[in-house]
Amino acid sequence: MATRAAIITIDNRIMTSTYNHYDGYPEYLGKALETHYNSDELAKKVSGEGYISYIDDETGEMNVSNPRDKDIKPTTDDFGGMGVDDMAYELAKEINSMGVDYAYLWSPSAEEWLFAPTAMKMEDFVDAFALGIDPPYEDDMADYDSIDNMEE
């Protein structure tokens, strides 16, 4: 059974996300992102794939084979003109439409991946990802939950 995940970056109010089909739970995909895709450049690379079957947590190698469509583009949305709460709500709606179990958001200011299970109540999910949207989009944000703070 697949544990699906969304991998997301936001740069200049443009959200880019890719779908990861297998092993999307924090102990596997979360650790792979933290270990192998832990910079702005690498986070943008992985979020720009469009479709990933899985990422090897030991090597960081992406398996991007997709049996149905070899050329799936990443999802992009322009959040221009939105406040941080509206951006987070739109992000939550996009993630919900992907049908994933987990979502990972790169936080450039914290230089780490934030994650949340998508089974959270919408308000909690919005709050979780509002914290990962970086200045100049907000005034005062704290770290919500990072892979480093993940419970075993």
Side-chain angles (χ1 to χ4, degrees), residues 4 27 31 33 43 52 64 80 97 104 106 118 126 144 152:
R4 301 157 307 194
E27 298 84 2
K31 291 294 183 185
L33 292 172
I52 299 170
V64 295
S97 76
Y104 297 86
W106 175 252
T118 57
V126 168
Y144 174 71
E152 298 278 335

Side-chain angles (χ1 to χ4, degrees), residues 83-93 125-127 129-130 133:
V84 68
D85 289 339
D86 290 336
M87 288 173 66
Y89 184 74
E90 289 300 315
L91 178 60
K93 287 191 335 188
F125 193 81
V126 168
D127 289 346
F129 281 105
I133 300 170

Side-chain angles (χ1 to χ4, degrees), residues 51-64:
Y51 178 95
I52 299 170
S53 291
Y54 64 90
I55 299 176
D56 185 297
D57 67 331
E58 295 294 319
T59 66
E61 184 177 339
M62 285 185 261
N63 180 318
V64 295

Side-chain angles (χ1 to χ4, degrees), residues 70-83:
K70 299 286 186 193
D71 191 28
I72 296 177
K73 303 290 185 226
T75 301
T76 58
D77 279 319
D78 186 343
F79 294 151
M82 291 184 191

Side-chain angles (χ1 to χ4, degrees), residues 10-15 44 77-80 87 136-137:
I10 299 176
D11 184 33
N12 293 321
R13 296 187 177 264
I14 304 293
M15 183 272 308
K44 288 175 188 175
D77 279 319
D78 186 343
F79 294 151
M87 288 173 66
Y137 312 129

Side-chain angles (χ1 to χ4, degrees), residues 2-8 18-38 46-47 51-58 60-63 98 100-105 113-116 147 150:
T3 304
R4 301 157 307 194
I7 302 170
I8 304 153
T18 197
Y19 173 84
N20 183 91
H21 193 70
Y22 294 107
D23 300 324
Y25 46 90
E27 298 84 2
Y28 192 85
L29 178 60
K31 291 294 183 185
L33 292 172
E34 178 184 65
T35 302
H36 303 288
Y37 297 93
N38 55 3
V46 72
S47 72
Y51 178 95
I52 299 170
S53 291
Y54 64 90
I55 299 176
D56 185 297
D57 67 331
E58 295 294 319
E61 184 177 339
M62 285 185 261
N63 180 318
M98 296 174 80
V100 297
D101 303 299
Y102 291 95
Y104 297 86
L105 174 66
W113 289 96
L114 305 177
F115 77 99
I147 302 301
M150 175 183 65

